[in-house]
């Protein structure tokens, strides 16, 4: 793939498809782990507020993903599947499964995110996770970056997966 941070695609599995994104971050795994599990740090890069039951990332813990403070804002439920500090974290995000793997890479961390998902949302999610991981790596939020990324991933993924869905109503 042409870009260093390009998401890759696999087909099959329980959901029908999975996207894989990788980043090398300058901080060690224990610091990156905090960015993945601390609610305040998650707010700086994750696409919504992440509320873990009792604030404890442990298998079986319920998670609420709130996309806004309004009573009618989109809310998704999930569950922690795995939490092995500072190596791996997995949880459901609605019908999807997100898996983060952290491995030491020099003084920093190699982070791998795998999103197991329905084939029709692969391009949308790859574009979104690209943006999120860019912010996790210290980049600025760029609301204009999603559409070109989505178009690029649609061109890459549609031949294998078929038509790709855009963002949910009211989101982008």
């Amino acid at each position: 793939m042409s870009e260093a941070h390009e998401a890759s695609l696999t087909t099959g599995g329980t959901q029908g498809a999975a996207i894989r994104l990788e980043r090398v971050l300058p901080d060690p795994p224990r610091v990156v782990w905090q960015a993945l599990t601390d609610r305040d740090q998650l707010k700086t890069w994750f696409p919504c507020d992440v509320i873990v039951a009792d604030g404890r990332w442990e298998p079986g813990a319920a998670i609420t993903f709130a996309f806004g403070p309004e009573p009618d804002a989109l809310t998704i439920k999930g569950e922690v599947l795995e939490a092995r500090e500072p190596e791996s974290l997995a949880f459901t995000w609605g019908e999807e499964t997100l898996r983060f793997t952290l491995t030491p890479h020099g003084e920093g961390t190699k982070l791998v995110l795998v999103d197991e998902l329905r084939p029709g949302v692969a391009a949308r999610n790859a574009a979104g996770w690209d943006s999120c991981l860019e912010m996790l790596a210290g980049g600025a939020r760029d609301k204009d970056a999603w559409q070109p990324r989505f178009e690029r991933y649609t061109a890459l993924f549609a031949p294998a997966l078929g038509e790709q869905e855009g963002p949910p109503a009211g989101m982008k």
Side-chain angles (χ1 to χ4, degrees), residues 17-135:
I19 55 172
R20 182 182 189 277
L21 296 101
E22 184 177 308
R23 294 292 187 280
V24 174
L25 305 170
D27 295 311
R30 63 181 171 71
V31 173
V32 177
W33 178 265
Q34 288 302 309
L36 298 180
T37 59
D38 178 82
R39 185 175 178 191
D40 289 332
Q41 289 188 46
L42 279 161
K43 288 178 184 180
T44 67
W45 69 273
F46 204 81
C48 61
D49 192 10
V50 180
I51 306 154
V52 179
D54 297 324
R56 295 178 24 208
W57 288 88
E58 56 189 31
I63 310 171
T64 301
F65 302 95
F67 284 84
E70 304 83 18
D72 63 344
L74 175 65
T75 301
I76 298 173
K77 298 292 184 183
E79 179 182 331
V80 177
L81 302 174
E82 178 182 340
R84 293 185 322 165
E85 182 177 353
E87 300 164 357
S88 60
L89 179 66
F91 52 88
T92 58
W93 189 40
E95 295 179 1
E96 299 174 26
T97 299
L98 302 180
R99 297 182 187 282
F100 295 86
T101 305
L102 310 174
T103 53
H105 188 270
E107 298 292 314
T109 302
K110 177 181 172 182
L111 178 141
V112 174
L113 165 60
V114 175
D115 182 357
E116 298 171 18
L117 40 65
R118 290 186 300 107
V121 298
R124 173 183 85 189
N125 286 24
W129 290 124
D130 253 354
S131 296
C132 291
L133 294 182
E134 187 171 297
M135 289 184 293

Side-chain angles (χ1 to χ4, degrees), residues 1-3 5-12 16-23 96 113-130 146 148-166:
M1 305 225 167
S2 61
E3 194 171 288
H5 295 152
E6 194 84 20
S8 60
L9 171 71
T10 57
T11 57
I19 55 172
R20 182 182 189 277
L21 296 101
E22 184 177 308
R23 294 292 187 280
E96 299 174 26
L113 165 60
V114 175
D115 182 357
E116 298 171 18
L117 40 65
R118 290 186 300 107
V121 298
R124 173 183 85 189
N125 286 24
W129 290 124
D130 253 354
W146 184 87
R149 287 176 176 158
F150 172 70
E151 291 169 5
R152 184 178 78 240
Y153 285 124
T154 295
L156 288 170
F157 297 166
L161 300 177
E163 185 175 344
Q164 294 294 293
E165 301 170 25

